[in-house]
Amino acid sequence: SSGINAECPLRPGDFKDNVQFLKYKEGVQDLTDLYKGDKQVNETEWFQWNTENLGSVCVDSAYSTNSPTDMKACIYVGLNRIYNWSPPTDETSTLSFECSWDVGPTGSGNLEPPFDITISDAVRSASEQALEAFYPWTSMEESGLQPIQAFQIKADNKKLEAAKAIENFKMDTFVVCNAVMRNSTGATPLEGSRPAEFEIKYSLPE
């Protein structure tokens, strides 16, 4: 179904703007509080907002910072809910997400920006198991809040410094996150799904 969308409930879009970045951090805290609600926490079979599923950094909004020498944040990705939907049945593949750099709507996006996008194997595995257990989804009463995968975005300070010497360095930076079916040989986009797309804004060191 074309109604299957990868969704980023929180996007660390603007490292340059203190007000916007603070709103992002407040949004992370609001999302944390939602998932830490009594009903979600007490149903131990439901997805839990913890280090196992999100990693030691993305589990806490305090990790994110827009300091010019320490720019880092997290992307939180999930699927929109569709009644009684399940991912394709395939014993060798599992529903997951992939986030990568993109040329973006302008075609000018830097495919090798001075940032890294990472998710540990352990966190990916735990969140994939949570996704598998969640479907088919019928209601929040039955299944709770949907599982989320968290990706860390962190500036590489050496690459930031080197970029200053590059003439016409591409500052435009876009990220695309796709729902995928992943197995030991790689990942393919989930059929009928649409990606989540967003932009990262930052400044080079002075």
Side-chain angles (χ1 to χ4, degrees):
S1 165
S2 61
I4 305 166
N5 298 331
E7 296 183 322
C8 289
L10 288 162
R11 309 166 186 228
D14 199 339
F15 285 105
K16 298 191 300 182
D17 188 320
N18 289 331
V19 173
Q20 291 301 318
F21 198 78
L22 179 59
K23 287 182 179 179
Y24 158 76
K25 292 191 67 167
E26 291 171 345
V28 174
Q29 190 58 55
D30 289 343
L31 191 64
T32 303
D33 292 343
L34 178 66
Y35 275 81
K36 287 285 191 180
D38 289 345
K39 186 171 178 61
Q40 188 78 14
V41 170
N42 291 336
E43 294 285 351
T44 56
E45 297 300 312
W46 291 1
F47 178 79
Q48 299 299 315
W49 189 279
N50 58 25
T51 300
E52 180 182 7
N53 287 323
L54 297 166
S56 59
V57 292
C58 295
V59 76
D60 191 337
S61 62
Y63 164 77
S64 299
T65 169
N66 66 335
S67 164
T69 58
D70 191 26
M71 290 185 286
K72 55 188 179 183
C74 292
I75 304 172
Y76 300 88
V77 191
L79 278 182
N80 64 329
R81 294 188 294 268
I82 300 176
Y83 178 75
N84 214 30
W85 178 86
S86 288
T89 302
D90 182 348
E91 293 182 1
T92 65
S93 300
T94 184
L95 178 62
S96 192
F97 296 94
E98 296 283 352
C99 293
S100 58
W101 308 116
D102 191 72
V103 295
T106 63
S108 61
N110 189 343
L111 298 180
E112 295 183 349
F115 287 83
D116 296 310
I117 304 177
T118 59
I119 180 173
S120 75
D121 289 342
V123 169
R124 183 188 286 281
S125 178
S127 57
E128 285 175 349
Q129 290 176 36
L131 282 164
E132 184 176 9
F134 186 73
Y135 295 102
W137 180 80
T138 53
S139 71
M140 290 184 63
E141 284 296 317
E142 292 290 328
S143 307
L145 297 166
Q146 69 263 49
I148 284 176
Q149 271 188 5
F151 293 81
Q152 301 170 43
I153 288 188
K154 182 175 172 59
D156 183 318
N157 288 334
K158 288 184 178 180
K159 290 181 180 178
L160 281 171
E161 194 64 35
K164 293 196 300 182
I166 299 174
E167 188 175 358
N168 299 321
F169 178 76
K170 283 187 176 183
M171 294 291 292
D172 292 350
T173 305
F174 302 97
V175 178
V176 167
C177 295
N178 280 289
V180 299
M181 297 302 295
R182 199 172 69 86
N183 58 32
S184 59
T185 62
T188 56
L190 177 65
E191 186 176 354
S193 68
R194 291 195 294 261
E197 304 169 339
F198 58 102
E199 182 179 5
I200 292 177
K201 297 178 182 179
Y202 65 97
S203 299
L204 294 178
E206 295 182 358

